[in-house]
Amino acid sequence: FMRVVSAALSLYRYDCIMEVEGSIPNFTARYLQEALMSLGASLQRRSNEIFVQDGKAVTPRLQALLDLSVPEATILLCARRILVRDSHRDDIISPLTIKRIRKEYERYKG
């Protein structure tokens, strides 16, 4: 699921960079829909599948992600990347702190 969010944020970032008039576009369900399609998901409705229709998410979890601001979604993505990376390490794991999240963001932004 985080791959979808990561792909959606990448598409949104690209649109922000390409915006020449200086107005930042809104993060809408369209970005999640494009991310799902780019990852090969079928958007045909199934009972247990994540689905976005008419800009609204069918599942409450996906709608909660859509309702996040871009900075909040970025923090979640960075935290998730740190936790996944830490899960693959055998040595002592540092606690998840805002300092680590900020460093991850700088690495991702870089």
Side-chain angles (χ1 to χ4, degrees):
F1 185 72
M2 291 307 291
R3 286 183 185 173
V4 174
V5 175
S6 179
L9 286 173
S10 295
L11 291 168
Y12 176 73
R13 181 178 181 223
Y14 177 78
D15 282 355
C16 288
I17 290 170
M18 298 309 289
E19 189 64 40
V20 290
E21 297 174 9
S23 63
I24 297 175
N26 291 329
F27 186 80
T28 61
R30 178 180 62 88
Y31 292 105
L32 290 170
Q33 204 168 16
E34 287 179 16
L36 283 167
M37 289 187 302
S38 71
L39 293 172
S42 169
L43 293 182
Q44 296 175 356
R45 188 174 187 145
R46 295 183 186 151
S47 60
N48 61 354
E49 188 176 296
I50 298 170
F51 188 73
V52 178
Q53 183 177 23
D54 298 327
K56 290 288 185 181
V58 174
T59 63
R61 292 174 78 189
L62 186 57
Q63 188 60 48
L65 283 173
L66 285 173
D67 292 340
L68 291 175
S69 67
V70 175
E72 290 169 331
T74 304
I75 288 171
L76 283 177
L77 179 62
C78 290
R80 176 71 178 150
R81 289 170 56 121
I82 291 169
L83 292 173
V84 167
R85 190 170 49 246
D86 284 353
S87 71
H88 297 300
R89 298 171 85 185
D90 292 331
D91 56 345
I92 298 173
I93 299 171
S94 303
L96 185 62
T97 62
I98 195 68
K99 184 177 181 180
R100 287 184 73 199
I101 292 171
R102 188 174 183 170
K103 285 175 85 174
E104 182 68 25
Y105 171 74
E106 292 298 326
R107 207 173 310 153
Y108 179 73
K109 187 175 99 174

